Amino acid sequence: MCAARPPPVSTNPQSYSLPPLLSQHGCRMAALWTLPLLLSGCLLGCLALTPPDELPQPHNLPPLLGFNGSDGGPSVDLPMALRVFSVDYHHVQAPFEIVLWIMLASLAKLGFHWSGRVPAVVPESCVLIMVGLLVGGVIYGVRHSAPPTLSADAFFLFLLPPIVLDAGYFLPGRLFFENLGTILWYAVLGTLWNVLGIGLSLYGVCLLAQSSLGDVSLLHCLLFGSLIAAVDPVAVLSVFQEMHVNEQLHILVFGESLLNDAVTVVLYKLFESFLRLPSVSGLDVLLGGCRVVVVGLGGLCVGLFFGLVAALTSRFTSKAQVIAPLFVFLYSYLSYLTSEMLHLSGIMAIVTCAVTMKQYVEANVSEHSNTSIQYFLKMWSSVSETLIFIFLGVSTIQDVHMWSWPFVCSTLLLCLIWRATGVLLLTAVVNKLRRNAVTFRDQFIIAYGGLRGAICFSLVFLIDDFPKKRLFITTTIVVILFTVFVQGMTIKPLVELLDVKRKKRALPTVSEEIHSRLIDHLLAGIEDVVGYWGQHYWKDKFEQFNKKYLRRFLIREDHQARSSILRVYQELERREQRGDEEAPPLVDPRSHSRLLLPEEMDSIRRILSRNLQNFNNKQTPAYSRHTLHQDTTMDRTRKPLHRHQSLGERHTYNTITHWPQVEDGEFSESHRVRAGLSRSHTVCSISPRPVLQDSSASAQTAPADPRPAGDDQVFPQHQVPARRTPKKQLSFVLENEKQQ
Amino acid sequence: MGSSSSSTERIPDAQELMQETGFSAAHLVRLYERFEFLDKDDRGELRLDDFEAVSELAMNPIGDRIIGAFFSPGRETVDFPSFVRILAHFRPTDTNRTRNGRNGAQPEPANSRTSKLKFAFQLYDQDRDGKVSREELLQVLRMMLEMQVTEEQLQSIAERAIQEADLDRDDAISFDEFKKSLEKVDIEHKMSVRFLE
C-alpha cells in the first residue's frame, strides 16, 4: 500500500541536504507505513485471541456478528493470591472481536484510498473482497478450519439497514418520482422475468445434466433463480458512485435495485414455502401474486407511518436538540424491524420512512442535528458496506463448497443473458411512454450494471438444507464475485468506450431558470385547461396538500415560513433597525451591473428555486457514499447561512449547496473537490476561508456597484470572517466554487 | 386511436382543423368534448369566466396570462378553432416528416420549437412589441415569486436575467435573444402535453 507519490519539494536543497527532505518525506512514509502495520496488528489480534482449537460453527452465534469465540482466555498466572496483572479476554470477547473486525474493515478502506492509482481502476468493493479473501485465507491457513462467516441474521438485521437508510435519506426525490413508473417497471417486471427465466432455464440444464444434477427439482431451481436474479443495491451503489453517469441512469439502476427487494423477498419466501408444501396448486400461485402486492404496499405503509410519526416527534425536539438525530435512526430502524416482523419488505419500509420524514425533520431540527444525522448516516452505511464486502471475501473461504461446472457456468451465462434480454424488451416498451427515452447505451449499462451482492449471499444460506445446498452456495459466491469483480471493474472502461451521456449540462443560467419556471407554470395551466391529469397535476396536488396540512402539522410553528427568503428579509430588517452597518443598501434599479460573482449568482439562483414552484428536473448530484451532497431542490425549507448567537435565534441559515458542475471531470478531481466539500461540513467550524453570507444580502449587494463609502460591502468576503468569527457562526464553505 | 370521422361530424371544419394543427380525429373529439364541458352556458364559445371556473388555473401564478393567451387581441370570446389552435402549440413535436405534407413555404407548424417559444415569449410580451422590457419581465417575476421576495431582490434577478440574455444591449429581450437563452433547454419535451399526442 505504498503510495506512489513524489516526495515534497524541499525548499533549500543545498543548505540542509538531508534532514528536511528526509523528515518531510520520512514522516509521510512513516505515516503511510503505519497503516498496514495497524492492519496486520488487527489481523493478528483477530487470529490470536480466538484459540485455534475451537471449530467455529457458522450458525451458532453470539448476539452480533457471526463469530464463535473461545471460552476463557489466557491470563497471567501469578502463584500468589493477588494478581497484579491479569487478562480476562472472555469478559470483553464479543465486543472486542466486533471492534477488531470493524477496525480491520475501516483500515482497509483507508488504505484503499491512499493507495495511489488503485481507486481509479478497481472499485472499492473489489478491493475489500480481496482483503476479505486474504484475511479468510490467512485464518484458514492458520487454524485449518473455516473462518467466521456472515450470518444471515447479522446481515439482515444489522448490516443492511444502515446502507438502505442512507440511500433512502439522500435519495434525489424529484428524480426518483419522475422516473418512478420506469423504475417500478424494471423492478417488478424485470425481476419477475429474470427469476422465471433463470429458474426455468436452470431446470432445463439440470434435466440435461441428469447424472450430476438430477436431484435438483424445479422448485429448487426457481428458488435459486429468485435469489440470484435480484440486483443488489449495495454493490450497484459502490460501483456506480465511482462512475459519473447521468442521474437518470443512476436513479434507474439504483431505484430498481431498491424496489426489487419486495419482489425478491416475496418470491423467495413463496418458493420456500412451496418447497415445504406437499403440493402446489394454482391457487397458491395466485396467492403468491397477491403477496407481492401486499408485501410491497405493506412495506410502504409501514414506512409512511413511521416517517410521519418521526416527523411529528422531531417537531418537539427543540428543548433537547442533542437527541434529535437519535429519533431519525430509531424510527427508521423500527420501521425496518416492524416490517421484517410482519414479513413485509423491510427495504421498502425504511426507504419510504426516510423519504417521508426528511423534509419535515430537516425543517424542525437544528443545524447541528441535521449535520449529525447526515454524518452518522454516511458513517454507518460506510462501515456496513465495508464489513459486508470483507465478510463476503472471508466467507468465501470455506470447506462447504461443491463445484459443478455445468451448473455454475450456465448460471453465470443465464444471469447475463436473461438480464440483457429483459432490459431490452422492457425498455422497448417503456420508451414509448417516456419522454426521455432510455438509449441503447443506457440499456447496456443497466444490463451490465446489474451486480449481485450480499443479499443473494445471505438468502442462499437461509435455504433449508437439502443435498445440493452447497452447490447453490458455491454458485452464488461465484456469481457474486464475478459480477463484482469482472463487471464492476470493466464497467467503467466500457462506459467510457460507449460514451455514456455524462452529466454535462452546465448550471442553468438565471434566464433559463426563470423561463423554465414560466414554462412549467404554463404547462400546468394548459394541462388544467385540457383537463389532463399530467405529471404536474399530481405534483401540484401533493404540494398543496403538503402545504395545507402536512407542513402545518409536522413542522414547528416558528419554522413554518415557507420561504427562507422571508426570514432573511426579516433578519435584514431587524439588522437595519439595529443600525447594523452590514445591512445591505437599497438597490439602484438603473445601475448597470457588473459581472456578478459566482456567489451572487448562487444566491439569486437559490432565491429562484426557493420561491418558484419547481417542477423541473433539476440537476441533482448523484448519490455518493463518501461525501455529503446536498440536494438543491426546493421543497425543503432551506435555512440560509447565519446563526446569530447574539439574537439567541434558532433561525440558522445554511447555504450548503453542491453545484452539479462539480461532478464534471475525472473521478480524482471531483473526488478532491467533493472531499473538500465534505471536509467543510464540520460542525461549528470557524472557517478561515471566505464564507458565504446570507443569500439575500449577497443578492442585494450584487447589482449595487459602487456604493457610498459608508456602507459596508459584504464583498470581498475575506474581510468578513474575521469579523464574524466572534459570533461563532456555522459556516459551510462553497469550496467547489473557489476551485473553479 | 384512429376513430372514424363520423364522430367529428359535430365539429365544424374538422378536417381543416386537423390538417392545420395536426391533431388526430380522436384528439379533436376529445378537445371538443372538453370545450363543451368548459362552455357552461352552451354558447359555442368560451368567455373569461368559463376559464376562471377552472379552479386550478386560478391558483396558478400566471393563470391570468395563460387565460389571456387564449383570447386573440381585441376579442372577448374563444371559439373552438381558436381553442384548438392554441392547444396545438403543446402538441409533442413530430420528429419525423411534417404531417401537413406540404413542402416549401409552409407555415411553421404550431408545435415546432420556434412556435412554442413564441407562445412562451408572448406570455411576457403583453404589449406585443416583440421585446420583453425590464418592466414586463419584472411583472412576470412578481407574479411567479408571489410577493415573497423583496423588490430589491426582484430587481436584481431581473437585472441579471436581462444582462445574461441581452446581446444587443438595448435593455430588453427580443425573441431571438429569448430563443438563444433557452437553446440548451429541451423545449420540445418541456412544452408538450402528452395527452395531445
Side-chain angles (χ1 to χ4, degrees), chain A residues 451-524:
Chain A
L451 304 184
R452 274 69 168 175
I455 294 189
C456 321
F457 187 72
S458 311
L459 283 177
V460 81
F461 270 106
L462 284 176
I463 302 181
D464 293 337
D465 221 353
F466 76 105
K468 283 288 189 304
K469 179 174 174 181
R470 292 161 68 171
L471 175 62
F472 280 8
I473 295 180
T474 311
T475 317
T476 312
I477 292 180
V478 169
V479 170
I480 294 177
L481 289 181
F482 180 84
T483 55
V484 172
F485 276 92
V486 173
Q487 286 178 235
M489 288 212 288
T490 56
I491 198 170
K492 196 161 172 209
L494 280 173
V495 163
E496 277 162 20
L497 207 62
L498 286 183
D499 190 34
V500 171
K501 187 172 52 170
R502 304 286 189 91
K503 296 173 291 179
K504 55 178 157 59
R505 234 187 69 164
L507 214 53
T509 61
V510 172
S511 315
E512 269 180 25
E513 286 227 5
I514 299 178
H515 303 318
S516 301
R517 291 312 156 275
L518 177 94
I519 292 174
D520 283 330
H521 286 306
L522 171 63
L523 261 291

Side-chain angles (χ1 to χ4, degrees), chain A residues 588-600:
Chain A
D588 176 9
R590 282 179 309 280
S591 65
H592 265 290
S593 49
R594 55 186 166 79
L595 206 56
L596 293 177
L597 293 181
E599 295 84 18
E600 302 163 16

Side-chain angles (χ1 to χ4, degrees), chain A residues 439-453:
Chain A
T439 66
F440 174 70
R441 290 169 180 152
D442 290 352
Q443 292 172 43
F444 177 79
I445 296 297
I446 294 177
Y448 201 67
L451 304 184
R452 274 69 168 175

Side-chain angles (χ1 to χ4, degrees), chain A residues 217-251:
Chain A
S217 71
L218 175 63
L219 273 178
H220 280 125
C221 285
L222 283 172
L223 181 65
F224 185 68
S226 72
L227 63 90
I228 203 82
V231 173
D232 187 79
V234 179
V236 163
L237 273 181
S238 74
V239 164
F240 261 47
Q241 74 175 5
E242 289 158 14
M243 286 180 3
H244 296 273
V245 295
N246 59 12
E247 297 114 348
Q248 176 183 283
L249 187 55
H250 192 275
I251 199 70

Side-chain angles (χ1 to χ4, degrees), chain A residues 433 435-436 509-512 514-516 518-532 541 544 563 565 569 586-587 589 591 593-596 601 604 607-608 611-612 616 696 699-700 703, chain B residues 34 38 54 56-57 59-62 66 70 83 87 90 119-120 123-124 134 140-141 144-145 148-150 152-153 155-157 159-161 163-164 178 181-182 184-185 187 189-195:
Chain A
L433 303 172
R435 291 196 185 171
N436 297 336
T509 61
V510 172
S511 315
E512 269 180 25
I514 299 178
H515 303 318
S516 301
L518 177 94
I519 292 174
D520 283 330
H521 286 306
L522 171 63
L523 261 291
I526 294 292
E527 280 177 357
D528 291 329
V529 169
V530 172
Y532 171 53
K541 282 271 169 278
Q544 285 163 24
S563 159
I565 295 304
Y569 179 63
L586 286 178
V587 168
S591 65
S593 49
R594 55 186 166 79
L595 206 56
L596 293 177
M601 273 299 294
I604 292 181
I607 294 175
L608 282 176
N611 292 280
L612 301 178
N616 224 8
S696 74
Q700 293 184 22
Chain B
R34 180 68 181 173
L38 288 173
V54 181
E56 296 86 357
L57 209 52
M59 290 200 277
N60 196 313
I62 52 167
I66 299 176
F70 277 91
F83 184 70
L87 289 179
F90 297 95
F119 189 87
L123 285 182
Y124 284 107
R134 186 188 305 261
V140 174
L141 274 178
M144 288 202 290
L145 291 179
Q148 279 186 328
V149 185
T150 67
E152 298 89 8
Q153 290 158 347
Q155 297 282 354
S156 73
I157 294 172
E159 181 60 46
R160 176 64 183 180
Q163 186 194 17
E164 277 174 352
F178 181 73
S181 70
L182 283 177
K184 285 198 225 131
V185 179
I187 294 291
H189 153 234
K190 267 176 86 72
M191 279 189 70
S192 303
V193 178
R194 209 163 58 221
F195 174 68

